[in-house]
Amino acid sequence: MSTLTPPKPEAATTAPARVTLRGPVRVLLRVHRKALWAGAALLVIGIGIVVALRVWMASSKVLCADGDTTPCGDDIYVSSYAHTSTETFLTDGGGVLLLLAGLIGVFVAGPLIARELESGTFRLAWAQAVSPARWLTARLAVPAALTVTGLMILVIVYRWGLWALRAGPNNPGLRWYASGVFPGTGPAILGYALLAVAVGALCAVLVRRTVLSMSLSALVLAAVGIGLSTRRYLLWPAVLRQGQEGPALLRDSDWHLEGGMLTASGSKVYWQDCYHAGSVDGYEACMSDRGGVTPFAEVHPASHYWPLQLVETGILLALAALAVFAAFRVLRRLHG
C-alpha cells in the first residue's frame, strides 16, 4: 500500500517567493558605491566648510558680538574679515544646494537608468524575477531617500551658519527672500530634490540614451528652477501698505515688490512711471501730475516666508508625482 501512496509535495517547492526590493536595492548600492562615497564626501565637505566659518568668526578678535570692529553702539559699522568672508561664502549657499539637487537628477537620468536601458543590462535583472516596476522603484527610492536625508542635514547646517550673520547689519544677499538663500533654508529644496529624481527617471525611460537623457533632464530642471525663482513672488498674495512713509511703509525684513502712489480713485501710479524725472523733486512733481496722493508699497513681509516655502514645495511635489506616474506608464507601455 505504501508504494501506491503518492508522495506529499514539499512545502519549500510550493511556497510562493516573497517579493521585496531588498535584492534590487542591494545590487544598486553595490554597483554605484563609488558615487555614494562621492556624495558622502560632498556632504562632509559642505558641513566642514560651514563649521569652519563659524569657528573662524567666533575666534576672530572683534569688539562686538555682531562682528563689528568699532566700539559697540558706534554709528559706523565695520565688520571683521571673518564676517565678510563668511557672508561671501554663504550668500549663494541655497543656490549650491539647488545645484546639488539638479546633479542628482542628472545622475539618475544617466548612469543609474539610461545606461542600463541603452546597454541592455536591465534584462539580467528582469530575468531574475525582478519586474520592470520593481526595477524602476528601486532606482527611484534609493536616490530619493539618500538625497532627502543628505539635503536635510545640509539645510540644518546652512541655517545654523546663517544665524551667526543675522546679528549684524543684514547683507542684502543674505535676506530671507534672496534667490541664493531662499531655496536652501526650507522644505523647498527637498521638493527640488524629489523632482530631480522623478524628472531624471522620466527622461531616462523616454530617451534611453545616457548623454541625451542627462542633457534633457538638466534642461527641464533648469527651466523649472528659473521659472519658480523669477515668479516666486506670485505664489502668495502680497501685502499692500499705504498712507505712511519711511519705516512704517517699508521694513528691513520686507521683500519689496512694487511702490508708488495711489490716486484719489485708488488707481496705482508706479514709480517706474516717473523714473525719467531724475530727481526727488521731479519725481514728486511727476507723481502729483499723475494724480498720486498717497504712498503705497506692495511687499512680502517676513511672515510670508513659510507660506511661500510651502506653496513652492507643494508645486514641486505635484510635478514630481506627475513625472513618476508618467515614468511608470512609459516603462509599462514599452516593456510590459
Side-chain angles (χ1 to χ4, degrees):
M1 294 295 293
S2 60
T3 57
L4 299 177
T5 304
K8 295 182 180 181
E10 297 182 2
T13 60
T14 59
R18 186 178 180 181
V19 179
T20 64
L21 286 175
R22 185 178 303 175
V25 169
R26 186 185 299 113
V27 172
L28 191 64
L29 294 176
R30 183 172 182 178
V31 171
H32 297 281
R33 58 185 179 276
K34 291 183 179 180
L36 294 175
W37 282 113
L42 288 176
L43 178 64
V44 173
I45 291 173
I47 296 173
I49 290 175
V50 177
V51 172
L53 291 173
R54 280 292 300 263
V55 172
W56 185 21
M57 287 181 57
S59 62
S60 62
K61 296 181 179 180
V62 294
L63 297 178
C64 306
D66 59 2
D68 192 356
T69 60
T70 64
C72 298
D74 197 313
D75 294 336
I76 301 175
Y77 178 86
V78 179
S79 61
S80 65
Y81 181 67
H83 195 281
T84 55
S85 298
T86 303
E87 285 182 347
T88 301
F89 278 103
L90 296 185
T91 295
D92 294 321
V96 173
L97 295 182
L98 199 59
L99 179 61
L100 289 177
L103 291 177
I104 295 297
V106 172
F107 171 77
V108 171
L112 198 64
I113 297 178
R115 181 178 295 175
E116 291 196 32
L117 295 174
E118 184 177 9
S119 62
T121 55
F122 67 94
R123 296 188 181 90
L124 178 62
W126 295 2
Q128 297 176 351
V130 177
S131 66
R134 288 177 58 207
W135 177 85
L136 183 58
T137 300
R139 278 148 185 78
L140 283 170
V142 172
L146 295 177
T147 303
V148 167
T149 302
L151 286 178
M152 284 181 62
I153 296 173
L154 289 177
V155 166
I156 294 172
V157 174
Y158 182 52
R159 290 177 64 94
W160 176 72
L162 288 176
W163 287 340
L165 299 175
R166 299 299 170 86
N170 194 5
N171 186 317
L174 291 173
R175 296 182 186 270
W176 65 268
Y177 55 82
S179 58
V181 173
F182 184 87
T185 56
I189 190 62
L190 305 182
Y192 278 108
L194 294 175
L195 177 63
V197 173
V199 168
L202 177 58
C203 293
V205 297
L206 277 174
V207 179
R208 289 174 290 174
R209 295 293 184 271
T210 303
V211 177
L212 187 57
S213 62
M214 292 172 68
S215 302
L216 181 59
S217 178
L219 288 175
V220 173
L221 294 173
V224 173
I226 294 173
L228 283 176
S229 64
T230 56
R231 294 293 183 265
R232 182 171 292 134
Y233 65 94
L234 298 175
L235 299 181
W236 195 257
V239 172
L240 176 65
R241 297 198 183 122
Q242 56 179 315
Q244 297 172 321
E245 295 183 358
L249 189 65
L250 287 176
R251 303 182 180 93
D252 290 338
S253 61
D254 287 340
W255 181 4
H256 183 214
L257 304 178
E258 289 288 356
M261 299 190 75
L262 297 174
T263 64
S265 62
S267 300
K268 297 177 181 178
V269 181
Y270 294 101
W271 69 268
Q272 295 94 329
D273 299 333
C274 294
Y275 182 74
H276 61 277
S279 64
V280 175
D281 293 337
Y283 172 79
E284 292 179 351
C286 176
M287 283 290 180
S288 297
D289 292 341
R290 292 175 179 268
V293 294
T294 305
F296 82 91
E298 295 176 356
V299 301
H300 279 304
S303 59
H304 285 190
Y305 168 81
W306 279 110
L308 289 169
Q309 278 277 347
L310 294 176
V311 171
E312 186 166 341
T313 304
I315 293 173
L316 294 167
L317 293 179
L319 293 175
L322 289 175
V324 169
F325 176 76
F328 277 99
R329 287 296 299 269
V330 171
L331 186 69
R332 183 176 181 181
R333 185 185 64 185
L334 294 177
H335 302 284

